[in-house]
Amino acid sequence: MPPKPLDYESINENVKKAQYAVRGELYLRATELQKEGKKIIFTNVGNPHALGQKPLTFPRQVVALCQAPFLLDDPNVGLLFPADAIARAKQYLSFTSGGLGAYSDSRGTPAVRKEVAEFIQRRDGYPSDPEFIYLTDGASKAVMQILNTIIRGEVDGIMVPVPQYPLYSATIALLGGTLVPYYLEETANWGLDTNELRRSVREARYKGLHVKAMVIINPGNPTGQCLSEENLREVLQFCYEENLVLLGDEVYQTNIYQDERPFISAKKVLMDIGPPLSKEVQLVSFHSVSKGYFGECGQRGGYFEMTNIPPETVDEIYKVASISLSPNVPAQIFMGLMINPPKPGDISYDRFVRESKGVLESLRRRARIMTDGFNSCRNVVCNFTEGAMYSFPQIKLPPKALETAKQAGKAADVYYCLKLLEATGISTVPGSGFGQKEGYVHNHYFVFFFYPFFYAIFRLNQNYFSTILRVCLD
Amino acid sequence: MPPKPLDYESINENVKKAQYAVRGELYLRATELQKEGKKIIFTNVGNPHALGQKPLTFPRQVVALCQAPFLLDDPNVGLLFPADAIARAKQYLSFTSGGLGAYSDSRGTPAVRKEVAEFIQRRDGYPSDPEFIYLTDGASKAVMQILNTIIRGEVDGIMVPVPQYPLYSATIALLGGTLVPYYLEETANWGLDTNELRRSVREARYKGLHVKAMVIINPGNPTGQCLSEENLREVLQFCYEENLVLLGDEVYQTNIYQDERPFISAKKVLMDIGPPLSKEVQLVSFHSVSKGYFGECGQRGGYFEMTNIPPETVDEIYKVASISLSPNVPAQIFMGLMINPPKPGDISYDRFVRESKGVLESLRRRARIMTDGFNSCRNVVCNFTEGAMYSFPQIKLPPKALETAKQAGKAADVYYCLKLLEATGISTVPGSGFGQKEGYVHNHYFVFFFYPFFYAIFRLNQNYFSTILRVCLD
């Protein structure tokens, strides 16, 4: 009998090629162990609420009221909700026709897109137009839509930093394009070197690829570095010279844990440079409600802003968005609340500031504890997590440990991440899932990475580090 | 200067090819007019809340409490929420780790997938396994994911009913596959004839296509017919013989407006047939919280159930779902509430039944008013809307009217839908957006279709029909 259309041998090869390590072998094994009753700490993905971060009160109050608009007429509503949450909910409901249960425009509710434009303008000091801002079901979906607009086939190359967040490698494979790696330099705090960019694009073109776009993740995921203004200028100049769209993944823009290199958006740097670049370089910037101090991952809300993209293309992107009708409306409200939070004088202002500062300060503290903890271990080095939510240590393994993994038929990092999981319940991601320089072996030590979401430190304290070492090096 | 990567001439051709009439030219013009201050009634898409349908109280209470879990500890919560909503919210929160703000498993929360399996088992009388049920951000996203798994390129054909809901044509174009139309017979109440299916597949294979799947929409969108058990048997037999996956779009399964042909699922008919078909035919069935009496379009919740799909493929689908992390969690709760509503004896039961019956009876009444209204007009015929949410009248135009449209450089249906919009503010979809038989012209009358969501009748009463006729036939 011939294979059926949904038998494994029949399905789309690009589907098979796509690899997504963040929920790959390690995650699947962790889920199995959890089913068997083992306590698992999932540090494989930035999912703060799953690790105990409490949602901020004010945005949840507003969205709860939008979900239950009949409460707004209840005389007792004031016993459970503050007046400014009630007012804000009424305002959002007045902007929708049909409340949260109606599809919005496929680009998102105009009122929230306007709030986003005002936020960008406040942040960057340059005008932003809601017509070029689309709301989405999270930033991942936004990235996928833009890559789908760009990639026509295998000859189209997309430059992606390595190590990278595997959304990019997976999506490029799924869409049948080609990933063009540029390597970040671990010994220079995961720095982005323009010589390396030039090498990367030259090599790709030599292979016959049309290199069409370059991705930056700022702050870095999984690498945690913040790009300097100077570095962003160089990147924009490079994109201008090489005729590349710049895709700016800026979802961690409020997750900054040092003061020397504050977040600066690619859009602002581009506008600062002025013409011709500011009129010419095509830029798409992404943001999300899943990170920052909101951490509202489960709500699935994001936006992208398009700069220097011609209206005909914007219309095509609109058309494709419309095929799935609209992004979910509750998360659009979360986005509005995130980028336009309570103001001084509002009833909920103090509480909101207290809660959000609490989250950010705790993250900042843990970024430091985590990096210091790793660096205090023998054979482990870890760049300081300047931003984002991850630490990405390098652990050198003795030859015998490498040999053991080899005999088990596994990559060394996968093997020891599995052992760590079995021994401690900590679910990490092996560094190879993010990409590594080829042949990266020196002095008989193989280098590999963990990807532990540093909330875990809260629960595990110092034992964490010694456990890792015991598991990996004994 | 060479075109830039996001200039119109550079972008993915499949993006350009995709057409989505439901939010096409008519919708865009309607949005413009709305901006200019004109009152628009959007009947172009099934969006009940936007046209005044109220959300059901109980599910909104539960989700509001899940969004604001701090209310559960408030001594006043009982003043605003009934005890069973509180209990249900606590139950859902206990099933998640981190509440609505945490990513769930990429297939959806196990507890809700279990509820869905139990619902399917109650509905069909056959077991259903949560491992083969995936929750999604609405049924559209689910359909897109399955088509992406199937389609490898242009030679892969997907059989789609014509007229069809343009999600299918748009997605197939976007994925670079080929749409293989089979025509529904308007004079036989939009019946599905197996001779036509055979003609369709034969013709496609003659052209060199690999026909891989067949879509049914039951109840029909936009055509409103309910498939009989006999017809479903024939379809399944056909899929078995021709080695096709059956994609069963069953999102309107509770929108039934007659008693002769109740909804029956493709899964049930397949299991009733027994082996070998019940073990062999690959079936994916889709459902949504956007339709039925919930009508919660803006929440974006859906599921698909896979039957006879091998585990390796199920794993691939899981992997691809995981790239965008998880469907939005609030809509997963809505799905749980929809397929597992309050039971007799629950505090909220009577209210829930009253509200949901109210919605369905009103839809049923309007289905009748709408069809009768159209059929009372000269030169208009309209099959009775047995199910779904749309009426799809055929309006015969005199040659002079056709000539006028031609001179304006527009398809006749587009031209008169635009005129209707300008004259009345009613935003419809021209029939050509759903596909029509080629060369469908007889007796010098051109046939075209409207797609008016029949909520509109509520607001417009009989003037609606005379207006349409005045606009089209004068």
Side-chain angles (χ1 to χ4, degrees):
Chain A
M1 240 170 90
K4 294 177 203 148
L6 276 172
D7 285 355
Y8 185 76
E9 54 262 61
S10 309
I11 64 175
N12 184 351
E13 287 298 327
N14 291 338
V15 164
K16 295 183 205 172
K17 273 183 215 154
Q19 292 305 327
Y20 188 67
V22 164
R23 292 204 164 179
E25 180 178 357
L26 260 289
Y27 173 77
L28 296 175
R29 177 70 188 133
T31 313
E32 268 174 33
L33 289 172
Q34 192 180 40
K35 265 196 193 156
E36 292 165 15
K38 191 172 172 73
K39 190 162 167 44
I40 303 293
I41 297 178
F42 287 98
T43 74
N44 55 298
V45 66
N47 196 6
H49 290 210
L51 291 163
Q53 183 179 308
K54 292 270 164 294
L56 303 182
T57 307
F58 181 76
R60 289 297 192 98
Q61 287 169 329
V62 173
V63 173
L65 286 166
C66 290
Q67 284 288 14
F70 36 83
L71 295 181
L72 296 168
D73 305 324
D74 193 299
N76 290 316
V77 69
L79 296 174
L80 288 174
F81 295 92
D84 55 352
I86 295 170
R88 192 76 182 266
K90 284 183 176 166
Q91 200 185 11
Y92 278 123
L93 289 173
S94 77
F95 290 146
T96 65
S97 61
L100 304 193
Y103 297 124
S104 70
D105 188 277
S106 306
R107 297 166 293 187
T109 307
V112 175
R113 291 162 64 213
K114 189 161 162 282
E115 279 184 290
V116 171
E118 286 160 2
F119 154 74
I120 294 172
Q121 185 155 348
R122 277 197 310 277
R123 185 194 65 188
D124 294 343
Y126 292 101
S128 167
D129 183 347
E131 288 300 303
F132 297 102
I133 293 164
Y134 283 23
L135 306 180
T136 60
D137 286 308
S140 302
K141 285 279 165 63
V143 167
M144 294 170 98
Q145 204 194 331
I146 296 301
L147 286 174
N148 190 31
T149 311
I150 296 174
I151 295 173
R152 300 161 307 174
E154 222 176 337
V155 296
D156 284 339
I158 309 291
M159 290 179 68
V160 172
V162 171
Q164 51 111 25
Y165 175 50
L167 162 67
Y168 295 96
S169 49
T171 304
I172 293 166
L174 196 62
L175 295 170
T178 299
L179 187 145
V180 175
Y182 66 91
Y183 296 101
L184 302 176
E185 188 46 53
E186 185 169 15
T187 54
N189 199 25
W190 298 114
L192 192 167
D193 176 20
T194 48
N195 289 326
E196 167 61 10
L197 297 181
R198 281 182 225 292
R199 179 210 59 79
S200 166
V201 76
R202 207 169 44 230
E203 202 172 300
R205 290 201 175 124
Y206 182 75
K207 290 180 187 161
L209 294 173
H210 296 286
V211 185
K212 303 192 76 181
M214 170 178 173
V215 174
I216 53 171
I217 311 176
N218 181 32
N221 176 2
T223 40
Q225 81 287 12
C226 292
L227 295 178
S228 68
E229 189 173 344
E230 182 50 32
N231 220 180
L232 282 164
R233 277 175 185 272
E234 289 169 348
V235 165
L236 286 158
Q237 185 68 37
F238 172 77
C239 289
Y240 177 66
E241 287 165 12
E242 303 293 345
N243 194 19
L244 304 176
V245 179
L246 183 64
L247 305 183
D249 179 338
E250 301 179 334
V251 300
Y252 296 100
Q253 60 188 261
T254 53
N255 295 100
I256 306 292
Y257 312 123
Q258 39 71 45
D259 301 316
E260 297 72 40
R261 258 206 285 275
F263 170 75
I264 176 164
S265 76
K267 169 95 179 290
K268 174 172 166 45
V269 177
L270 179 59
M271 293 301 127
D272 282 348
I273 296 173
L277 272 69
S278 62
K279 300 275 185 209
E280 295 288 343
V281 175
Q282 297 187 328
L283 167 68
V284 186
S285 308
F286 304 91
H287 201 6
S288 166
V289 301
S290 300
K291 312 302 169 188
Y293 42 86
F294 266 54
E296 291 280 8
C297 300
Q299 313 282 356
R300 315 306 298 118
Y303 78 73
F304 58 91
E305 186 195 24
M306 298 169 276
T307 305
N308 296 326
I309 313 296
E312 304 80 24
T313 299
V314 173
D315 286 350
E316 292 294 315
I317 294 170
Y318 184 14
K319 184 185 71 183
V320 171
S322 75
I323 299 172
S324 42
L325 294 158
S326 82
N328 88 77
V329 180
Q332 297 182 34
I333 310 287
F334 274 108
M335 180 56 83
L337 292 160
M338 183 176 85
I339 46 81
N340 187 14
K343 291 180 180 45
D346 292 354
I347 302 167
S348 297
Y349 177 74
D350 287 343
R351 180 177 195 167
F352 184 83
V353 170
R354 196 171 60 244
E355 291 177 351
S356 51
K357 267 182 93 170
V359 171
L360 284 176
E361 279 168 6
S362 159
L363 284 166
R364 194 178 180 117
R365 207 162 48 237
R366 283 178 281 167
R368 177 56 67 191
I369 295 172
M370 202 70 184
T371 321
D372 289 352
F374 279 125
N375 286 321
S376 72
C377 299
R378 199 167 43 96
N379 290 322
V380 180
V381 288
C382 186
N383 279 318
F384 176 62
T385 302
E386 297 180 340
M389 285 183 168
Y390 315 101
S391 59
F392 202 50
Q394 182 194 113
I395 301 176
K396 294 190 184 174
L397 294 173
K400 224 175 69 187
L402 294 175
E403 192 49 42
T404 312
K406 207 173 169 186
Q407 277 166 13
K410 297 256 178 214
D413 57 354
V414 175
Y415 182 76
Y416 289 103
C417 285
L418 279 169
K419 278 192 76 175
L420 180 70
L421 171 66
E422 312 266 352
T424 64
I426 306 171
S427 168
T428 57
V429 182
S432 53
F434 304 90
Q436 303 185 53
K437 282 197 192 177
E438 280 168 53
Y440 202 51
V441 180
H442 37 222
N443 295 334
H444 301 293
Y445 294 95
F446 193 81
V447 180
F448 78 96
F449 303 96
F450 283 100
Y451 186 57
F453 183 53
F454 55 69
Y455 279 93
I457 196 66
F458 240 27
R459 305 212 180 164
L460 291 162
N461 64 58
Q462 294 302 327
N463 290 327
Y464 187 38
F465 300 105
S466 49
T467 306
I468 289 174
L469 285 196
R470 227 179 19 250
V471 170
C472 299
L473 303 181
D474 279 4
Chain B
M1 239 169 91
K4 293 177 205 147
L6 276 171
D7 285 355
Y8 186 77
E9 55 263 61
S10 308
I11 65 174
N12 183 351
E13 286 298 326
N14 292 336
V15 163
K16 296 183 203 171
K17 274 183 211 152
Q19 293 303 329
Y20 188 67
V22 163
R23 293 203 163 179
E25 179 178 359
L26 260 287
Y27 172 77
L28 296 176
R29 177 70 186 131
T31 312
E32 268 175 33
L33 288 171
Q34 193 181 38
K35 265 196 193 157
E36 292 165 14
K38 190 171 173 76
K39 192 166 163 43
I40 302 294
I41 297 178
F42 287 98
T43 76
N44 55 298
V45 66
N47 197 6
H49 290 210
L51 291 161
Q53 183 180 309
K54 291 270 164 295
L56 303 181
T57 307
F58 181 75
R60 289 298 192 98
Q61 286 169 329
V62 174
V63 174
L65 285 166
C66 290
Q67 284 287 16
F70 37 83
L71 294 181
L72 295 167
D73 304 324
D74 193 299
N76 290 316
V77 68
L79 296 173
L80 287 175
F81 295 92
D84 55 352
I86 295 169
R88 192 76 182 267
K90 283 182 177 168
Q91 200 184 11
Y92 277 123
L93 289 174
S94 77
F95 291 145
T96 64
S97 60
L100 304 193
Y103 297 125
S104 71
D105 187 277
S106 307
R107 299 165 293 188
T109 307
V112 174
R113 291 162 65 212
K114 188 160 162 282
E115 280 184 289
V116 171
E118 287 159 1
F119 154 74
I120 293 172
Q121 185 155 347
R122 279 196 309 278
R123 184 194 65 189
D124 294 343
Y126 292 101
S128 168
D129 182 347
E131 288 300 304
F132 297 102
I133 293 163
Y134 283 23
L135 307 180
T136 60
D137 286 309
S140 303
K141 285 280 165 64
V143 167
M144 292 169 99
Q145 204 195 331
I146 296 300
L147 287 174
N148 190 30
T149 313
I150 296 173
I151 295 173
R152 300 161 307 173
E154 220 177 337
V155 297
D156 284 339
I158 309 292
M159 291 180 67
V160 171
V162 171
Q164 51 110 26
Y165 174 51
L167 163 67
Y168 295 97
S169 49
T171 304
I172 294 166
L174 196 61
L175 296 169
T178 300
L179 188 145
V180 175
Y182 66 90
Y183 296 101
L184 302 175
E185 188 46 54
E186 184 169 15
T187 55
N189 198 27
W190 297 114
L192 189 167
D193 177 19
T194 48
N195 289 326
E196 167 60 10
L197 297 181
R198 281 182 227 292
R199 178 209 60 77
S200 166
V201 77
R202 208 169 42 232
E203 203 172 298
R205 290 199 176 127
Y206 182 76
K207 290 180 188 160
L209 295 173
H210 296 287
V211 185
K212 303 193 77 182
M214 170 177 173
V215 174
I216 54 171
I217 310 175
N218 180 34
N221 175 5
T223 41
Q225 81 287 11
C226 292
L227 294 179
S228 69
E229 189 174 343
E230 182 50 31
N231 220 179
L232 283 165
R233 276 175 185 273
E234 291 169 347
V235 165
L236 286 159
Q237 186 67 40
F238 172 77
C239 289
Y240 178 66
E241 288 164 9
E242 303 291 345
N243 194 19
L244 304 176
V245 180
L246 183 63
L247 304 183
D249 179 338
E250 301 179 334
V251 300
Y252 297 100
Q253 59 187 265
T254 54
N255 295 100
I256 306 292
Y257 311 124
Q258 38 73 43
D259 302 316
E260 297 73 39
R261 258 206 286 275
F263 169 76
I264 176 163
S265 76
K267 168 94 180 290
K268 176 173 165 47
V269 176
L270 179 59
M271 293 301 127
D272 283 347
I273 295 172
L277 273 68
S278 62
K279 301 274 185 208
E280 296 288 343
V281 174
Q282 297 187 327
L283 168 67
V284 186
S285 309
F286 303 91
H287 200 7
S288 166
V289 302
S290 300
K291 313 299 168 187
Y293 43 85
F294 265 54
E296 291 280 8
C297 300
Q299 314 281 355
R300 313 309 296 119
Y303 77 73
F304 59 91
E305 186 195 22
M306 297 169 275
T307 306
N308 296 325
I309 313 297
E312 304 80 25
T313 299
V314 173
D315 287 349
E316 292 295 315
I317 294 170
Y318 183 14
K319 183 186 70 183
V320 171
S322 75
I323 300 172
S324 42
L325 293 161
S326 84
N328 88 76
V329 181
Q332 299 183 33
I333 310 287
F334 274 108
M335 179 55 82
L337 293 160
M338 183 176 85
I339 46 79
N340 187 15
K343 291 179 179 45
D346 292 352
I347 302 167
S348 297
Y349 178 74
D350 287 344
R351 180 176 194 167
F352 183 83
V353 170
R354 194 170 64 245
E355 289 178 352
S356 52
K357 267 182 93 170
V359 169
L360 284 176
E361 280 168 4
S362 159
L363 284 166
R364 194 178 180 116
R365 207 162 50 237
R366 283 176 282 167
R368 177 56 68 192
I369 296 172
M370 200 73 184
T371 322
D372 289 353
F374 279 125
N375 286 320
S376 72
C377 300
R378 199 167 44 94
N379 290 323
V380 180
V381 289
C382 186
N383 280 317
F384 176 61
T385 302
E386 296 180 341
M389 284 182 167
Y390 316 100
S391 59
F392 202 51
Q394 181 195 114
I395 302 176
K396 294 190 182 173
L397 294 174
K400 224 175 70 187
L402 295 176
E403 192 49 42
T404 312
K406 206 172 168 185
Q407 277 166 13
K410 297 256 179 214
D413 57 354
V414 175
Y415 182 76
Y416 288 103
C417 284
L418 278 170
K419 278 192 75 176
L420 180 71
L421 171 66
E422 311 266 352
T424 66
I426 305 171
S427 167
T428 57
V429 182
S432 52
F434 304 92
Q436 303 185 54
K437 283 196 191 178
E438 280 167 53
Y440 203 49
V441 181
H442 36 222
N443 296 333
H444 300 294
Y445 294 96
F446 192 80
V447 181
F448 78 96
F449 303 95
F450 283 101
Y451 185 56
F453 184 52
F454 55 68
Y455 278 92
I457 195 67
F458 240 28
R459 306 214 179 162
L460 289 163
N461 65 57
Q462 295 300 328
N463 290 328
Y464 187 37
F465 301 105
S466 49
T467 306
I468 289 175
L469 286 196
R470 227 179 18 252
V471 171
C472 300
L473 303 179
D474 277 5

